[in-house]
Amino acid sequence: MESKKIASKSEVEKTFGHRLRVRVCGLLVENDSILIAKHLSIGKRGIFYAPPGGGLEYGESVEDALKREFLEETGLEITIKEFMFTHEFFDLPLHGIELFFLVERKAGQLITGIDPEMENGKQTIDNMSFIDFDTLKDLHIDEKHHLFRHCNSLNDLIKMKGFYSNLKENS
C-alpha cells in the first residue's frame, strides 16, 4: 500500500494563505457524535480537528460547494438541513469567512478523502471520523477549530446561531 504524502506547512500556506477565503462547512451529527477531519500541517501544533468543508469556487453556489466538498473529503452525499452560523477564522496566514450548515447523510460510505487543491497529491487530511463531544473537548485547545470554544456540548453546538470570530483571541 502506498504511503500518504502529507503537505508541509509552507505548502498549506502557499495554497490557502495570504488571502481571504469563503468556506462552507458541514456539521454532520450521528449517534451523538460529530464528523471531524483530522488535518496535519495546520495550526500552531501541526494538528487541526475541524468539520469537513472547503472553499467556495467562483460561479459555484454555496449548496453545490458544500455537497462537492463533503463528497471529496468524506465520500458522503449529503442533504443540507439548515444554515447555522458564520465564523471568521483568523489564524494568519489563514483567514476565512466560514458558513456552517447542519447536514444529514444521504448516501455513501465514510472515507478519508482528499483536498484536490493540494499539489502533487500531498494532503492535509489525515483522518475522517465521528468523535463524541467529550473526546473533542479533551483535545488541546490549539488542535481544534475555534468554533468549539463557543460551546460546551453537542447540544450547544447545534443551537449556535449568529456570528463568531476568534479574531479577539489573537490580539
Side-chain angles (χ1 to χ4, degrees):
M1 186 168 110
E2 183 180 325
S3 64
K4 186 186 292 188
K5 296 178 185 175
I6 300 298
S8 68
K9 278 191 172 250
S10 63
E11 290 167 320
V12 170
E13 182 175 340
K14 178 183 171 193
T15 303
F16 301 113
H18 304 284
R19 62 189 171 100
L20 178 63
R21 295 181 70 223
V22 176
R23 298 185 72 248
V24 290
C25 306
L27 299 174
L28 176 60
V29 177
E30 294 181 357
N31 302 316
D32 295 322
S33 295
I34 183 169
L35 185 60
I36 296 289
K38 176 185 176 189
H39 296 273
L40 300 179
S41 303
I42 297 177
K44 294 175 184 167
R45 297 170 61 100
I47 296 174
F48 191 70
Y49 293 87
L56 184 64
E57 295 175 0
Y58 180 77
E60 182 178 40
S61 73
V62 168
E63 183 176 300
D64 287 346
L66 184 55
K67 289 177 179 180
R68 174 186 50 77
E69 285 290 342
F70 242 82
L71 192 59
E72 290 170 354
E73 293 185 2
T74 71
L76 300 177
E77 293 179 40
I78 58 164
T79 300
I80 299 171
K81 301 304 286 180
E82 70 176 287
F83 172 71
M84 297 177 68
F85 57 89
T86 301
H87 180 270
E88 182 178 21
F89 183 90
F90 195 86
D91 195 3
L92 296 179
L94 303 179
H95 186 190
I97 302 298
E98 301 173 312
L99 307 173
F100 278 86
F101 294 83
L102 187 62
V103 302
E104 191 173 84
R105 183 192 310 226
K106 185 165 88 174
Q109 288 292 104
L110 181 62
I111 62 165
T112 298
I114 62 163
D115 189 340
E117 291 177 290
M118 296 306 300
E119 294 179 17
N120 302 322
K122 294 182 181 175
Q123 291 297 303
T124 62
I125 301 171
D126 181 57
N127 187 34
M128 191 70 63
S129 62
F130 283 92
I131 299 177
D132 68 81
F133 205 86
D134 287 337
T135 301
L136 195 56
K137 280 185 1 184
D138 288 342
L139 295 173
H140 190 281
I141 193 166
D142 290 331
E143 292 181 351
K144 56 191 169 190
H145 193 287
H146 305 108
L147 80 94
F148 296 113
R149 299 175 189 184
H150 302 286
C151 53
N152 293 312
S153 69
L154 189 56
N155 195 39
D156 286 351
L157 174 64
I158 292 170
K159 289 180 179 178
M160 287 175 65
K161 303 287 182 214
F163 176 80
Y164 299 87
S165 176
N166 66 298
L167 185 57
K168 292 180 182 175
E169 297 167 13
N170 292 325
S171 309

